[in-house]
């Protein structure tokens, strides 16, 4: 056997290059974190205000935080997509007059006659391909917020087609969704208001209204996106495609944060409050007293007034329709 030998100068050179290389990698990671997503990668950090520090992360956390588990938020949700448990009461059938407004969280089947076939991804996108929709995200304060394609906050709506939105979600993995409210209080021109109203009328022709509400809503999002912790008047939401994980907690008065009531069970970080899927990444983030439930297609969620709630979508294509306020 021939044993190779190397002069001390060669070994010293190799050690110098190796140690220097490790230092370069560490420096590169710091530079990547400092420069932010617009320079380095779309899914490294997702601050809504354009800065890394103090912003909100929407794909599993900042580089520093995510290094603890070394996995993207979307991939973690994929691994947890088999979650099927539900802590809510199940109602076997819809009984008009006895469930609305709800007094406790409930899950019930959609009324007889509802067909979900036309809400499959291909058919739904094709039917509404000429419509354009405003992009939104969720911040701990001020909650529902308009954003552009990069997740940066905007004062005016940035609208995209359904196909453009799905491509955007596929590329960025960010917590950007489509959310429509059929209400007259929105500051927009009459043409836009009429278009939005006509969209809800089209949906109601295909899906007869379950309950009479003062406000009609429509939501569309993708894997690992959702609405952070908030509360409002009683609501129902019927899932037409995809599964959605809910966390809910009973009414509880608390201090005000930025003019909004803050979540009373613990002090939420901007990530916990604005990017709800982070609770899937670390179960210890979920405070005691919070109920969890997975809602599937063809199921309807009933939520009483002032109950705190947040959601995380478990599939690539999720659409839901519902209403708020009895």
């Amino acid at each position: 056997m021939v044993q190779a030998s190397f002069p001390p100068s060669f070994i010293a050179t190799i050690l110098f290059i190796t140690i220097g290389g490790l230092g370069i990698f560490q420096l590169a990671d710091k530079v990547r974190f400092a420069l932010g997503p617009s320079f380095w990668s779309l899914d490294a950090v997702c601050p809504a205000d354009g800065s890394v520090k103090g912003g909100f992360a929407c794909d599993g956390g900042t580089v520093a935080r995510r290094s603890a588990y070394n996995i993207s938020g979307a991939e973690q949700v994929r691994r947890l997509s088999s979650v099927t448990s539900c802590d809510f009461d199940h109602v076997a059938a819809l009984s008009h007059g006895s469930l609305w407004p709800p007094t406790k969280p409930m899950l019930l089947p959609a009324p007889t006659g509802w067909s979900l076939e036309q809400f499959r991804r291909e058919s739904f996108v094709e039917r509404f391909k000429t419509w354009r929709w405003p992009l939104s995200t969720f911040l701990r304060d001020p909650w529902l917020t308009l954003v552009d394609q990069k997740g940066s906050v905007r004062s005016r709506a940035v609208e995209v087609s359904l196909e453009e939105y799905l491509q955007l979600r596929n590329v960025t993995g960010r917590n950007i969704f489509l959310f429509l409210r059929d209400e007259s209080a929105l500051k927009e021109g009459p043409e836009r208001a009429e278009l939005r109203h006509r969209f809800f009328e089209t949906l109601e022709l295909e899906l007869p209204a379950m309950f009479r509400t003062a406000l009609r809503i429509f939501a569309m999002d993708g894997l690992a996106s959702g609405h952070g912790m908030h509360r409002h008047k009683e609501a129902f939401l019927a899932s037409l495609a995809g599964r959605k994980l809910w966390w809910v907690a009973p009414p509880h008065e608390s201090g005000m944060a930025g003019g909004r009531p803050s979540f009373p069970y613990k002090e939420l970080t901007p990530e916990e409050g604005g990017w709800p899927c982070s609770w899937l990444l670390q179960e210890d983030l979920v405070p005691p007293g919070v109920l969890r439930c997975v809602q599937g297609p063809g199921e309807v969620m009933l939520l009483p007034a002032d109950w705190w709630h947040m959601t995380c979508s478990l599939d690539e294509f999720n659409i839901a329709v519902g209403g708020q306020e009895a």
Side-chain angles (χ1 to χ4, degrees):
M1 176 181 295
V2 179
Q3 186 174 4
S5 61
F6 301 97
S9 59
F10 178 81
I11 297 176
T13 301
I14 294 298
L15 288 174
F16 177 81
I17 294 174
T18 302
I19 295 173
L22 291 175
I24 291 174
F25 281 124
Q26 291 176 350
L27 177 62
D29 191 64
K30 292 180 180 179
V31 170
R32 174 177 63 179
F33 184 77
L35 291 175
S38 60
F39 177 85
W40 194 261
S41 69
L42 288 171
D43 69 345
V45 187
C46 187
D49 61 358
S51 65
V52 173
K53 59 180 181 180
F56 87 110
C58 53
D59 79 324
T62 62
V63 172
R65 178 181 173 87
R66 196 200 305 168
S67 63
Y69 45 84
N70 194 30
I71 188 172
S72 71
E75 177 60 26
Q76 183 70 13
V77 173
R78 284 190 184 95
R79 296 185 183 186
L80 293 170
S81 62
S82 60
V83 174
T84 58
S85 62
C86 183
D87 300 326
F88 300 173
D89 287 352
H90 283 74
V91 180
L94 178 61
S95 175
H96 288 284
S98 62
L99 298 178
W100 188 262
T103 57
K104 57 184 177 180
M106 289 180 284
L107 194 67
L108 61 147
T112 303
W114 277 32
S115 173
L116 303 184
E117 289 299 318
Q118 67 269 39
F119 297 102
R120 295 183 183 276
R121 173 170 175 163
E122 292 76 14
S123 58
F124 187 80
V125 171
E126 176 63 26
R127 282 191 300 133
F128 295 102
K129 63 182 179 181
T130 61
W131 298 54
R132 300 187 69 80
W133 318 68
L135 293 174
S136 302
T137 192
F138 202 98
L139 305 183
R140 185 175 57 172
D141 182 54
W143 299 2
L144 190 66
T145 305
L146 295 174
V147 295
D148 61 17
Q149 293 90 334
K150 294 183 178 181
S152 299
V153 171
R154 292 290 179 264
S155 59
R156 302 186 65 177
V158 175
E159 298 182 342
V160 297
S161 68
L162 295 181
E163 188 61 42
E164 288 171 341
Y165 167 73
L166 293 173
Q167 292 174 357
L168 171 70
R169 278 285 310 162
N170 184 55
V171 171
T172 68
R174 296 179 175 181
N175 189 26
I176 300 175
F177 47 77
L178 308 179
F179 187 80
L180 298 179
R181 295 180 292 187
D182 189 24
E183 58 179 331
S184 58
L186 295 178
K187 297 179 181 180
E188 59 185 1
E191 292 184 0
R192 183 63 194 173
E194 173 59 27
L195 180 64
R196 189 185 64 253
H197 183 73
R198 184 155 48 89
F199 169 72
F200 280 98
E201 293 296 318
T202 302
L203 288 182
E204 286 199 355
L205 289 176
E206 300 176 354
L207 300 171
M210 292 184 58
F211 305 105
R212 188 178 301 276
T213 61
L215 175 65
R216 296 182 292 187
I217 59 176
F218 171 82
M220 177 178 179
D221 49 28
L223 180 68
S225 63
H227 292 223
M229 186 61 73
H230 66 292
R231 65 178 182 177
H232 45 63
K233 294 184 179 180
E234 61 274 1
F236 81 92
L237 192 71
S239 176
L240 306 179
R243 295 165 301 131
K244 192 180 299 292
L245 179 58
W246 291 71
W247 290 272
V248 305
H252 189 287
E253 293 304 321
S254 64
M256 303 292 284
R260 300 277 192 176
S262 58
F263 185 51
Y265 296 88
K266 65 176 292 189
E267 181 64 26
L268 299 182
T269 67
E271 180 175 90
E272 294 167 13
W275 191 70
C277 299
S278 61
W279 286 20
L280 273 178
L281 305 183
Q282 299 185 48
E283 288 286 345
D284 60 299
L285 295 177
V286 184
V290 174
L291 305 177
R292 186 171 76 171
C293 184
V294 176
Q295 175 190 18
E299 293 182 321
V300 182
M301 184 71 67
L302 299 188
L303 191 69
D306 293 325
W307 276 63
W308 295 89
H309 58 286
M310 62 196 299
T311 62
C312 175
S313 293
L314 301 178
D315 291 303
E316 296 284 357
F317 181 68
N318 295 265
I319 54 176
V321 62
Q324 297 176 9
E325 304 180 24

